[in-house]
Amino acid sequence: AQTVTQSQPEMSVQEAETVTLSCTYDTSESDYYLFWYKQPPSRQMILVIRQEAYKQQNATENRFSVNFQKAAKSFSLKISDSQLGDAAMYFCAYRGTSGTYKYIFGTGTRLKVLA
Amino acid sequence: EAGVAQSPRYKIIEKRQSVAFWCNPISGHATLYWYQQILGQGPKLLIQFQNNGVVDDSQLPKDRFSAERLKGVDSTLKIQPAKLEDSAVYLCASSLAGGKVNEQFFGPGTRLTVL
């Protein structure tokens, strides 16, 4: 069975600085998708960025980028130029490409942004 | 474009009572997901629908939880009877289709407290 692990329950970053959130996963599939979701205090979850496992190039969305290491089964999120609005829970998620396409989420990392 | 709607937003009940949650997905989204998010954890998939058929309900406690999606549009999730450990936020999400990796859009969730 697939698992997703986020080992950092909480992280802090100064405004305008860079922070990296870690995620590791376990799977026997060769093709899959990985996601980072943001859940602000209002609790509506939104997609931040996604990575397709067959693509070697790391995904980038404005200030958000990932470091995808397929062999190490690692998928970290880098937030550059952190803003107060980035404060939220961040969840790493995995989705396979066979079976029911179920999403599996990690336990989350709470990001605090300090002014 | 209207987002995923859920109601009620908050519900407090006593154990052994029953409760129902409603979700209206984004128009045209064939896939609908119900997640349970216990405080401090990531969302856990309870049930996934493709149109009005169940794709995955492997983690749904079927002795007390039930869900339906009539006419392949809105959906209800019911708990009967509720237990203390059912206290959680119940998230509904929808996407265009389950076969492709289309973005999941989440609703605001229903926070359930069981006393």
Side-chain angles (χ1 to χ4, degrees):
Chain A
Q2 296 86 5
T3 59
V4 176
T5 302
Q6 293 180 251
S7 58
Q8 305 157 316
E10 190 171 293
M11 294 282 285
S12 296
V13 62
Q14 287 289 142
E15 201 175 0
E17 297 294 308
T18 296
V19 64
T20 298
L21 309 184
S22 301
C23 173
T24 59
Y25 59 94
D26 191 26
T27 183
S28 58
E29 295 183 293
S30 59
D31 195 17
Y32 47 86
Y33 295 82
L34 296 164
F35 307 84
W36 278 99
Y37 283 88
K38 173 184 178 181
Q39 190 175 42
S42 67
R43 305 201 73 85
Q44 192 133 8
M45 189 114 53
I46 57 173
L47 178 66
V48 174
I49 196 166
R50 77 181 199 185
Q51 175 77 41
E52 293 149 40
Y54 66 85
K55 290 186 177 179
Q56 293 193 352
Q57 186 172 7
N58 289 323
T60 299
E61 288 287 343
N62 300 314
R63 298 183 295 109
F64 299 87
S65 62
V66 299
N67 183 5
F68 173 50
Q69 302 289 328
K70 191 172 184 179
K73 296 181 181 174
S74 170
F75 181 62
S76 61
L77 174 70
K78 185 172 82 171
I79 307 174
S80 304
D81 185 25
S82 297
Q83 300 174 0
L84 295 177
D86 295 333
M89 284 291 291
Y90 286 83
F91 292 96
C92 178
Y94 168 99
R95 179 196 180 278
T97 56
S98 61
T100 61
Y101 314 112
K102 182 167 60 181
Y103 285 77
I104 298 169
F105 287 80
T107 52
T109 296
R110 180 175 301 281
L111 178 66
K112 294 184 176 181
V113 181
L114 308 174
Chain B
E1 177 181 86
V4 176
Q6 290 188 249
S7 67
R9 292 295 310 278
Y10 304 92
K11 190 73 177 179
I12 300 174
I13 61 173
E14 299 202 343
K15 60 183 179 183
R16 291 187 289 273
Q17 287 187 321
S18 62
V19 64
F21 312 127
W22 174 82
C23 172
N24 186 250
I26 292 173
S27 178
H29 281 195
T31 306
L32 186 146
Y33 311 80
W34 281 105
Y35 291 91
Q36 180 192 57
Q37 186 176 19
I38 293 173
L39 186 65
Q41 299 181 19
K44 182 183 82 171
L45 181 70
L46 292 176
I47 190 166
Q48 177 181 341
F49 291 95
Q50 181 84 0
N51 296 307
N52 60 346
V54 175
V55 175
D56 188 322
D57 63 356
S58 58
Q59 299 187 105
L60 186 74
K62 298 180 185 65
D63 58 334
R64 298 184 301 105
F65 286 65
S66 64
E68 60 181 9
R69 189 183 185 196
L70 299 176
K71 300 180 182 178
V73 183
D74 52 355
S75 176
T76 56
L77 176 70
K78 297 179 181 178
I79 308 175
Q80 182 179 14
K83 293 185 175 181
L84 297 177
E85 59 261 35
D86 298 332
S87 294
V89 175
Y90 291 84
L91 298 169
C92 179
S94 69
S95 66
L96 277 173
K100 300 178 184 178
V101 186
N102 293 296
E103 180 178 348
Q104 281 189 105
F105 291 85
F106 285 83
T110 296
R111 182 183 296 276
L112 174 67
T113 301
V114 182
L115 303 175

